[in-house]
Amino acid sequence: MKAKKALLAVPALLLAANVNAACLASRPAAAPAIPNGAAVDAEAMYAAQEATKAYVAGVEKYLECRSDQLGYLEHNYFVSRAQEVAESYNSELQKFRSRDEAIASS
């Protein structure tokens, strides 16, 4: 009987390892630096946009992949951090657009 249980446990462990291996999402890297929208050019804002999108997508992928392994505090931290980064970018983008509009109307 013990041998049967051991034989049944091995496939279960292998299946669990494969489920975890299918999730290649790693812990998100540090949040990107958001430039001052009032002082940078369009290239810098575009680079910040791409970095922000990549960061948020990485957080989403990590949370989706590891949702059953994260505590609620860690989950909420990553959600909050992604929102902060996106809001920071959007705030600086607004400054960038306002500056461009002021220059264009001069």
Side-chain angles (χ1 to χ4, degrees):
M1 188 66 168
K2 286 185 180 182
K4 280 187 177 181
K5 285 184 180 179
L7 288 175
L8 291 174
V10 171
L13 289 173
L14 291 174
L15 180 62
N18 283 337
V19 168
N20 222 4
C23 177
L24 299 177
S26 59
R27 187 179 181 101
I34 307 298
N36 179 353
V40 298
D41 61 6
E43 281 185 34
M45 286 308 294
Y46 181 73
Q49 177 186 25
E50 292 302 309
T52 300
K53 283 182 180 179
Y55 177 76
V56 171
V59 169
E60 289 172 342
K61 185 175 180 181
Y62 180 73
L63 292 176
E64 179 182 308
C65 215
R66 304 278 189 216
S67 64
D68 59 335
Q69 300 166 356
L70 298 176
Y72 72 92
L73 289 175
E74 188 175 15
H75 177 272
N76 290 347
Y77 167 78
F78 283 113
V79 169
S80 176
R81 190 69 186 119
Q83 287 174 338
E84 288 171 4
V85 169
E87 288 170 3
S88 177
Y89 171 77
N90 288 332
S91 175
E92 295 304 323
L93 180 61
Q94 185 62 39
K95 291 177 191 175
F96 176 78
R97 288 181 176 162
S98 295
R99 184 197 73 191
D100 266 6
E101 288 172 7
I103 292 171
S105 66
S106 299

